[in-house]
Amino acid sequence: MKFIDSFKYNHLFCLVFEMLDESIFDLMHKRTWLPLSLNEIRPVFHQLLVSLEALKGLGIIHGDLKVDNLMLVNHKDHPFKLRLIDFGLAIPASDAEIGHLVQNPQFRAPEVMLGLPLTEAVDIWSLGCIMLVLFLVDTPFPSECNYGWMENLLDLLGQPADHVLAAGEYSEEFTKKHKEEPETDKSSYLSFKEELKKRRISDEQDKLEFQDKMAFFELLTCYLQVGRNLEMPHSGRPVVVRQVSYCTGPQARDLVRLLTWSAP
């Protein structure tokens, strides 16, 4: 977002930024929580990828990606043109330590939950969660308890690899359930993914829509992965590297089309 000026008021340091419209959260609320179409999600996805690439180039973890922090510039004249706001939790990746509590629980990466070293990859996890919220109007992971978060993770993606769990300083916290922890609702991602797999294609238009949806979930699978690339740098500490270079399945060509967007 554009920085305009700064000043002090009553011993407070104030920053002035450009005037923006409303957040994606506000927009969905006004639309009575109707899901966004893939055509609407595409520019959101594209702009956030550009923003995260820029932050990675600066070595910065945003640490608080969520729909509330995605601001529309002028939705009437420039639909879905975005600004990423709220850098209050942002930190240099080089300063991030195990146990540093960042991210809203519903968008929190496994590295934070399991006690793994933190990198800019945690923002990519949040991006994947945001895309699911926009498409299904359902948060894939609960905020009420850590055990429920892990339970949904196992249902959605399976158990993390043994070497990932062994590297996590907090992994043992999830080996038993405490009585006071509430039951967790399952994410609608599970049932919707199964529905896509079983659906019969009636005509070419439906087929193209189906391919787009499958490409969308293929892309999310690349982002929502736990320690698939667990590297061991010179420090001897494992680091999660979340990337999409290995997305080369049958939907690879559809992924390119899915992410192709021309700014208005």
Side-chain angles (χ1 to χ4, degrees), residues 221-239:
T221 300
C222 299
Y223 286 174
L224 298 178
Q225 43 97 6
V226 186
R228 179 163 182 173
N229 296 306
L230 194 61
E231 295 184 348
M232 191 69 68
H234 298 298
S235 63
R237 302 189 68 86
V239 175

Side-chain angles (χ1 to χ4, degrees), residues 136-190:
L136 297 177
V137 196
D138 177 38
T139 53
F141 301 102
S143 59
E144 59 267 20
C145 73
N146 290 345
Y147 182 86
W149 183 96
M150 178 57 72
E151 190 175 28
N152 269 17
L153 178 73
L154 297 180
D155 286 340
L156 288 169
L157 305 171
Q159 180 169 310
D162 291 342
H163 69 283
V164 174
L165 294 175
E169 292 195 6
Y170 308 144
S171 298
E172 292 186 1
E173 297 293 326
F174 298 99
T175 58
K176 57 183 178 180
K177 184 175 182 179
H178 302 289
K179 292 182 179 179
E180 65 272 13
E181 291 177 336
E183 293 295 325
T184 303
D185 293 333
K186 301 299 182 183
S187 170
S188 60
Y189 171 71
L190 280 173

Side-chain angles (χ1 to χ4, degrees), residues 45 49 124 214-225 228-229 241-259:
F45 212 156
L49 285 174
I124 293 294
M214 291 306 298
F216 178 72
F217 283 109
E218 178 80 6
L219 186 62
L220 288 179
T221 300
C222 299
Y223 286 174
L224 298 178
Q225 43 97 6
R228 179 163 182 173
N229 296 306
V241 182
R242 189 167 287 112
Q243 56 186 16
V244 297
S245 60
Y246 53 82
C247 292
T248 56
Q251 285 82 30
R253 184 178 301 175
D254 296 324
L255 292 181
V256 176
R257 184 181 71 251
L258 182 70
L259 286 175

